[in-house]
DNA sequence: TCACTTCTTGCATAAACGTGCAAAACATGC
DNA sequence: GCATGTTTTGCACGTTTATGCAAGAAGTGA
């Protein structure tokens, strides 16, 4: 990978997320942290970002515009969850990745040189993976739902039915030990169910505000969750319920 | 292999992928890396790319055409073509939009409030339309091809088969009055053919460099083209051939 | 304060680079 | 045909660049 490409990707990320972490970029690119730090120093010298301890942030005028506007809710937390979730991956696996901002963050955190097969109905996830040379990317088409950023409907279900995956990253609108993974929309839930059904293991990564809440449509029961990725500050009592039902808990 | 041929292929690759590697090109052409470096130096001198350590990147750092990759070639022209092409649209129509940087430009030029139904296999087009509130967007999924930024394969064909459209915006790798619309890749051509078959009218928008050239795979005959959008400077003789076969010519 | 992480600097190495040169391919003129 | 000049290419050479590692400095948080 060319130095210039790294710089471009770092620029893009700064524009989207407002800040980058040296360690994260290093594992994403598959280079040493020293190299990333050199990159950041150069970009900073060119005025394209400001260097801070641990990484870099977008230069002042830009930062205000983008960071705020971007699906800004809990960006930091989601990136931390993503880093933890990516540790569940290994080369050669096949994945379903559902929509939602947390899953988009996970897709962005996937190391660039990791060898995977990924099927997704999310435009954001597809875009994030579209420059990963080792990822065989399958787009699950269908009717595009603007609010979700994903495709749903009969076509989507038909495409999923033809596939199987090792892991399924389910976006969750609500997560409750009794009601399991739930979604706000019927068609969306149907797609999630299909993905879950055709996967060996289910991974759910959620921020604290989703814990112990539920949406109307059931997607998967709590005991179907194999990996649960949560914030360090997640209430232990709630996690215990999931652990009892067989989930492995991973802290961001 | 002629020097000029190599240069043209390098230009194409830069337009599609945004970057090239010296070593990769050398083995692809079967020449030494020195020769490739000479080529890159010349192209860079002519302003057609920027030389970087390890290869070269497309020079125009303007808006991303496909997904994240720069498709710097003839950006201005493509935007002008797009403005002209969009004038062919009217509310309530249904469209197929194929991949390619020109079609991505067209998608970006579609007015935000226009009421349309659009089916596309291009991630770039889908992203461009994902915030158009009046566009019913259908994503044609399938195996994602990084170099093209589009989906191809059996799934894509199956999805297209279920749809019909008023207009089909065909990306064209080469356009010749005798051989019609042609493409570089077999699977890509198959998808284009399916779109064309299920549409009432075909629209082709091309820059001058595509005129009177042909790629190996045939997509549609020249007489199938209803609307041809070209630059003002397009050679009249070539256009006359298309006009004779029933195409309406639109100047950007 | 101390332990820990992150940063910079210097250095070694391998890859990529440009340059000069000679052989080969090709065209041109006699 | 033969000589001449031009262009293209590959190779050898020394130089530059990118990168990772090591060691010490500096920042961070308890």
């Amino acid at each position: 990978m060319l130095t210039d490409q790294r710089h471009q990707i770092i620029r893009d990320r700064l524009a989207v997320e407002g800040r980058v972490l040296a360690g994260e970029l290093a594992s994403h690119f598959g280079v040493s942290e020293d190299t990333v730090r050199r990159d950041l120093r150069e970009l900073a010298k060119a005025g394209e970002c400001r260097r801070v301890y641990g990484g870099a942030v977008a230069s002042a005028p830009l930062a205000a515009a983008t960071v705020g506007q971007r699906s800004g809710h809990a960006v930091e937390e989601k990136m931390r969850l993503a880093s933890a979730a990516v540790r569940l991956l290994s080369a050669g696996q096949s994945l379903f990745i559902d929509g939602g901002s947390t899953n988009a963050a996970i897709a962005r955190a996937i190391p660039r040189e990791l060898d995977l097969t990924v099927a997704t109905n999310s435009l954001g996830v597809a875009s994030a993976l579209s420059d990963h040379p080792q990822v065989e990317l399958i787009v699950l088409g269908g009717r595009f739902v603007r609010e979700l950023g994903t495709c749903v409907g009969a076509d989507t279900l038909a495409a999923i039915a033809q596939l199987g995956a090792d892991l399924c990253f389910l976006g969750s609108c609500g997560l409750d030990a009794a009601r399991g993974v739930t979604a706000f929309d019927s068609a969306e839930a149907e797609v999630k169910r299909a993905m879950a059904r055709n996967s060996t293991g289910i991974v759910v990564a959620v921020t604290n505000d989703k814990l112990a809440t539920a949406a109307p449509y059931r997607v998967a029961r709590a005991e179907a969750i194999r990996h649960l990725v949560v914030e360090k500050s997640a209430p232990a009592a709630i996690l215990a319920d999931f652990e009892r039902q067989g989930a492995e808990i991973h802290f961001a």
Side-chain angles (χ1 to χ4, degrees), chain A:
Chain A
M1 134 156 273
L2 298 170
T3 308
D4 198 79
Q5 283 180 281
R6 277 201 318 269
H7 288 194
Q8 193 53 51
I9 291 171
I10 293 172
R11 268 189 283 262
D12 289 346
R13 259 206 206 205
L14 279 167
V16 173
E17 291 163 13
R19 71 124 228 264
V20 291
L21 301 179
E24 201 177 85
L25 290 173
S27 67
H28 184 254
F29 292 136
V31 299
S32 74
E33 295 199 15
D34 302 70
T35 302
V36 170
R37 276 192 272 271
R38 259 184 280 250
D39 290 340
L40 295 180
R41 239 177 290 164
E42 285 177 43
L43 290 174
K45 197 166 183 178
E48 311 207 47
C49 66
R50 199 161 45 78
R51 195 76 175 74
V52 296
Y53 197 84
V57 296
S59 352
L62 225 105
T66 54
V67 170
Q69 146 205 22
R70 206 61 196 183
S71 64
H73 190 55
V75 178
E76 304 274 323
E77 284 82 354
K78 282 170 186 169
M79 285 174 62
R80 270 198 296 274
L81 287 179
S83 303
V86 162
R87 285 197 286 273
L88 300 173
L89 301 178
S90 52
Q93 281 179 323
S94 56
L95 318 174
F96 279 119
I97 304 185
D98 183 28
S101 53
T102 306
N103 277 338
I106 291 172
R108 278 195 297 274
I110 291 177
R112 199 166 174 283
E113 306 296 337
L114 191 57
D115 181 5
L116 294 171
T117 301
V118 177
T120 183
N121 64 330
S122 156
L123 267 197
V125 170
S127 293
L129 295 175
S130 65
D131 71 334
H132 283 52
Q134 304 303 327
V135 170
E136 162 90 7
L137 180 59
I138 295 158
V139 177
L140 303 166
R143 181 168 55 83
F144 182 77
V145 181
R146 218 173 315 286
E147 295 74 35
L148 305 170
T150 57
C151 296
V152 301
D155 293 343
T156 318
L157 294 173
I160 295 172
Q162 296 182 355
L163 298 168
D166 299 319
L167 289 178
C168 170
F169 286 77
L170 273 190
S172 179
C173 302
L175 184 61
D176 182 88
R179 300 181 54 188
V181 179
T182 48
F184 283 125
D185 178 82
S186 155
E188 185 192 1
E190 214 170 345
V191 167
K192 288 175 195 288
R193 273 196 291 267
M195 285 186 175
R197 195 177 331 129
N198 292 354
S199 307
T200 309
I202 293 176
V203 184
V204 180
V206 288
T207 45
N208 285 349
D209 58 318
K210 303 265 180 64
L211 280 173
T213 69
Y217 295 92
R218 301 190 53 149
V219 172
R221 295 192 308 194
E223 63 204 70
I225 300 173
R226 173 169 321 168
H227 299 284
L228 180 57
V229 184
V230 294
E231 303 180 49
K232 279 207 187 70
S233 58
I238 297 177
L239 300 181
D241 284 342
F242 286 100
E243 216 161 4
R244 210 171 305 126
Q245 299 190 55
E248 222 172 88
I249 312 289
H250 305 267
F251 291 98

